[in-house]
Amino acid sequence: MDFSIWKSIEFAHPAFFGLLALIPVMIYWYIARQQRRQAAMEMSSLQGLKGLPVSWKVTMRPVLLVLRLLAFTALVVALARPQTSNTSESIDSEGIDIVMAIDISGSMLAQDLQPDRLEAAKKVAMNFVDSRISDRIGLVIFSGESFTQCPITTDHGVLKNQIALVKSGMLQDGTAIGMGLATSVDRLRTSKAKSKVIILLTDGVNNTGLIDPLTALEISKAFKIRVYTIGVGTVGKAPFPMTMPDGSIQMQMQDVQLDEPLMKKISAETGGKYFRATNNKELENIYGEIDKLEKTKVEITSYKRFAEHFFPLAMVALACMLLEVVLRYTAFRSLP
């Protein structure tokens, strides 16, 4: 019998342990019965009996009680049905394929969000990735052109590393919203997922690129891709870092230009939603809301298999009872 399994044992009917309360009663009954069965003889003195050897049968007779108690205890534990269980899970995930398209143009260095728009966008993007455990997610960056920084993947560690590497100046400057959207669609067009989503974040107005934003919108609709658009930047003016002729950096207040009508049109016609983030907290809340809107269906089916361990205990109880009967009618046999 492997006693190591008792570390993880469970009992199907633990109420049977209440029967163990009968053990003191059994001991009391045995002692009282033995006292009633002892013969009495009057003697003037016990002095002459001192030093006489005591029979081993008298000394060992309580073994019968011990065997009976062991048999009773083993039987009670067996009735409680000791079991071990093995649990396995089957996970059926209906994931969503998501591409995050992030503007990395020079204007994303504005510091109306802290430490700047781009770093704030990267931080919330990584938090969003952590919350989408079973989804495939990719990253597209764009400014004057677009580039797939990371194809859609379930390896979120690699994706987060790629997000961390993003910085302004990696691509030709400008704001090619159409190119960013079109590249994101291209990453999703062959996807077999039931739900395909693009989260497009920008802080400007489309001013360059080979593909017009409205053309990219029609492509998105053709592939049934839902687009959530996020406009980043405060209302009015924001501090932009400007490089001076001597090479120093100075902050200058400049007008915030954001094509909100275009962003709203893209999201509305694809079944998504437009958001405006004027500070870090609002940007965090936006990604949190998108996370709630795009819920992934995950079904977990749990299987629990039980292994019974009462049989060895039943055998112990039977062995103790048989031994007790054999000894009672052989070595410890009582004469009438």
Side-chain angles (χ1 to χ4, degrees), residues 153-174:
T153 179
T154 55
D155 191 338
H156 292 175
V158 170
L159 175 60
K160 289 172 67 177
N161 286 336
Q162 292 300 312
I163 294 173
L165 294 174
V166 170
K167 59 183 179 181
S168 183
M170 294 175 67
L171 302 174
Q172 178 184 335
D173 203 15

Side-chain angles (χ1 to χ4, degrees), residues 63-64 67-72 314-332:
V63 169
L64 298 178
L67 288 172
R68 188 175 301 176
L69 293 177
L70 285 174
F72 178 75
M315 291 297 98
V316 170
L318 179 60
C320 288
M321 285 189 291
L322 288 175
L323 183 58
E324 193 258 351
V325 170
V326 170
L327 291 176
R328 180 177 296 279
Y329 291 100
T330 55
F332 297 104

Side-chain angles (χ1 to χ4, degrees), residues 2-54:
D2 185 6
F3 290 96
S4 63
I5 63 173
W6 291 89
K7 294 179 181 179
S8 57
I9 211 77
E10 299 175 8
F11 293 94
H13 306 298
F16 278 104
F17 284 116
L19 294 174
L20 295 177
L22 294 175
I23 290 178
V25 178
M26 294 170 66
I27 296 173
Y28 173 79
W29 177 82
Y30 175 82
I31 295 173
R33 183 169 176 267
Q34 290 299 111
Q35 289 176 346
R36 286 197 305 269
R37 292 183 62 181
Q38 288 179 357
M41 184 173 63
E42 293 185 2
M43 298 184 68
S44 59
S45 175
L46 296 176
Q47 191 68 30
L49 299 177
K50 287 183 178 180
L52 291 178
V54 179

Side-chain angles (χ1 to χ4, degrees), residues 288-302:
E289 185 170 345
I290 295 174
D291 183 42
K292 292 177 183 177
L293 290 170
E294 294 294 337
K295 280 297 179 185
T296 300
K297 180 183 177 183
V298 178
E299 291 184 357
I300 300 177
T301 305
S302 180

